Amino acid sequence: MSYFLKLGFVLLVITVIASGILAYVNSLTEPIILENQRKAKAEARLEVLPEAATFDSIGTFNAENVFAGKDADGNLVGYVFLASLYGYSSDVKSMVGVNKDLIVNKIKVISQTETPGLGANCIKPEFQAQFSDKGLGEMKVNKDGGPIISITGATITTRTITNSIKNGLLELEKLIPAEAETSEEVTK
Amino acid sequence: MIKEFTKGFIKENPVFVMALGLCPTLAVSSSVMNAIGMGLAATFVLVCSNIMISLIKNFVPNKIHIPAYIVVIASFVTIVDMVMEAYVPALHKSLGLFIPLIVVNCIILGRAEAFAGKNNVFKSMLDGLGMGLGFTLALSVIATIREILGAGQFLGMQVLPTSYKPMLVAILAPGAFIVMGLLMGAMKLKKKK
């Protein structure tokens, strides 16, 4: 009996020490990790909507804030949202900046672990550039009769990004009138 | 003594000779950067866990040494995971799931069982370092071949003329099996001679 208690006790000691060390390391690294993520998102927002000086949250999409970007004088210049859908092997997340008329200004894929050499090519600037200056109706891959040319061997990834932006634009349309009305009421 | 360090490179190379840790080998050897990052992370865990296990081996009763070793290994892996996410987020992102999976990399538990649990601290450290670097070497060799053939690049730099049409299969899963198989065969052949 006492032998088994001893076994349990040894394991207990080991796990307690291990969790203590882990808690300490976590307390050191967690703020840095959160700061990194916040910075990465803020940089991505600015990159996709460079005209904007401030970003105000107008709602949420994919559990992330949707922002209305305003320039230094407080004029609305566009919106930024995070588009996310599951692609071929991972969640593909991209920051999307659109102008006032809901035409895509620029997109930036900020997180993906698609197949290296195929789907992972979605981080190439040439690919991301094709989304610029396109609206909701044009969010279609060439295989489905749209203008977005898919990455060789990675139609699924291309379609995922395209659809995630399309969903985001649809959601944004719902969010905007509500915002316009409320701001109108305020001015009245 | 020095032999404990050097055996991991060729004679008892964990990947090519002992065929351990093949899952991460196949998965992260698609680019040299990933291979080196993964190799060094695994080396760090291997050295630390070998040292720790060699230190505690006399206090841990035989019946529970596997759970005790796993706790030690898992703790070091979690530390690596958190530190990498904080300081090298880009590499952490591209290695993704394979960092937490170092816990179940059989090289690490294998060395703990076969070596660190039986030898002194200094020898265990050398063994961990040698095996870890041997693993890194094997990964890098496979990744170099795959990246050059499959993307025409080395460490992300273009090395083949852009007119070269990348052999896509090399960076996909089948390419990993083929390259690793050929290298293992070559090593066996050399040994026989």
Side-chain angles (χ1 to χ4, degrees):
Chain A
M1 185 64 200
S2 70
Y3 178 67
F4 291 101
L5 280 178
K6 190 188 159 213
L7 293 186
F9 182 72
V10 171
L11 270 183
L12 178 72
V13 171
I14 293 173
T15 43
V16 165
I17 297 174
S19 31
I21 296 172
L22 287 181
Y24 176 68
V25 177
N26 186 45
S27 71
L28 292 182
T29 51
E30 200 183 14
I32 306 175
I33 293 170
L34 289 177
E35 177 66 17
N36 281 348
Q37 289 171 347
R38 200 191 55 75
K39 237 191 237 163
K41 272 186 196 151
E43 271 170 25
R45 273 202 292 276
L46 203 59
E47 196 179 329
V48 295
L49 199 63
E51 297 92 351
T54 55
F55 292 95
D56 303 323
S57 172
I58 55 165
T60 55
F61 170 62
N62 284 334
E64 285 283 340
N65 284 321
V66 176
F67 291 94
K70 293 183 177 146
D71 64 13
D73 303 327
N75 300 319
L76 183 71
V77 288
Y79 303 92
V80 176
F81 62 89
L82 187 75
S84 167
L85 264 186
Y86 192 82
Y88 186 73
S89 60
S90 67
D91 275 320
V92 184
K93 294 185 180 168
S94 33
M95 198 59 91
V96 183
V98 296
N99 66 13
K100 277 185 289 194
D101 309 318
L102 300 191
I103 303 295
V104 173
N105 181 47
K106 199 173 173 198
I107 75 154
K108 183 177 167 64
V109 177
I110 57 171
S111 140
Q112 58 82 27
T113 45
E114 299 289 281
T115 321
L118 294 174
N121 283 340
C122 67
I123 57 169
K124 291 203 169 164
E126 306 92 86
F127 171 72
Q128 297 182 19
Q130 8 169 12
F131 289 94
S132 297
D133 305 322
K134 289 193 171 68
L136 181 58
E138 293 164 293
M139 282 302 149
K140 255 187 191 170
V141 181
N142 56 352
K143 282 206 179 151
D144 307 327
I148 305 289
I149 298 162
S150 39
I151 304 164
T152 317
T155 308
I156 294 179
T157 307
T158 316
R159 204 175 271 152
T160 301
I161 297 175
T162 313
N163 286 341
S164 71
I165 297 172
K166 197 164 110 189
N167 294 347
L169 288 173
L170 287 170
E171 190 64 30
L172 193 57
E173 277 184 345
K174 280 187 229 156
L175 282 170
I176 292 166
E179 213 240 352
E181 271 168 36
T182 47
S183 59
E184 215 173 312
E185 269 173 10
V186 172
T187 46
K188 274 178 197 170
Chain B
M1 196 62 94
I2 196 79
K3 160 174 134 272
E4 305 295 356
F5 175 64
T6 52
K7 67 174 192 257
F9 289 93
I10 306 282
K11 209 171 135 257
E12 289 181 35
N13 187 290
V15 175
F16 293 136
V17 179
M18 298 196 289
L20 289 174
L22 295 189
C23 168
T25 305
L26 295 171
V28 301
S29 61
S30 55
S31 81
V32 180
M33 199 60 219
N34 282 0
I36 294 173
M38 177 71 183
L40 293 182
T43 306
F44 173 81
V45 174
L46 197 47
V47 172
C48 294
S49 67
N50 261 11
I51 291 175
M52 192 52 84
I53 283 162
S54 172
L55 282 173
I56 63 169
K57 65 176 188 285
N58 294 330
F59 305 107
V60 180
N62 227 358
K63 276 209 167 97
I64 54 161
H65 68 225
I66 292 201
Y69 293 175
I70 286 287
V71 171
V72 171
I73 295 166
S75 308
F76 283 117
V77 171
T78 314
I79 291 173
V80 169
D81 191 35
M82 292 190 293
V83 171
M84 282 180 80
E85 192 172 2
Y87 296 103
V88 277
L91 184 61
H92 181 267
K93 214 185 245 175
S94 72
L95 291 174
L97 186 61
F98 290 99
I99 295 286
L101 280 181
I102 296 176
V103 178
V104 286
N105 186 326
C106 36
I107 295 173
I108 294 168
L109 189 62
R111 292 327 288 172
E113 276 286 289
F115 200 92
K118 298 187 185 107
N119 289 285
N120 67 35
V121 176
F122 187 63
K123 268 190 179 174
S124 301
M125 187 196 78
L126 285 180
D127 176 75
L129 195 61
M131 284 292 164
L133 293 177
F135 178 60
T136 313
L137 180 76
L139 274 178
S140 310
V141 171
I142 298 174
T144 306
I145 297 173
R146 291 181 65 193
E147 198 179 337
I148 290 178
L149 289 181
Q153 297 175 334
F154 178 71
L155 278 171
M157 289 174 297
Q158 200 72 29
V159 287
L160 294 179
T162 37
S163 57
Y164 169 75
K165 190 135 177 40
M167 193 169 102
L168 274 180
V169 70
I171 41 174
L172 297 180
F177 280 104
I178 294 167
V179 171
M180 193 177 68
L182 290 174
L183 287 173
M184 271 181 168
M187 296 231 359
K188 273 263 155 65
L189 201 69
K190 205 174 158 245
K191 225 179 187 180
K192 263 190 174 168
K193 271 181 186 170

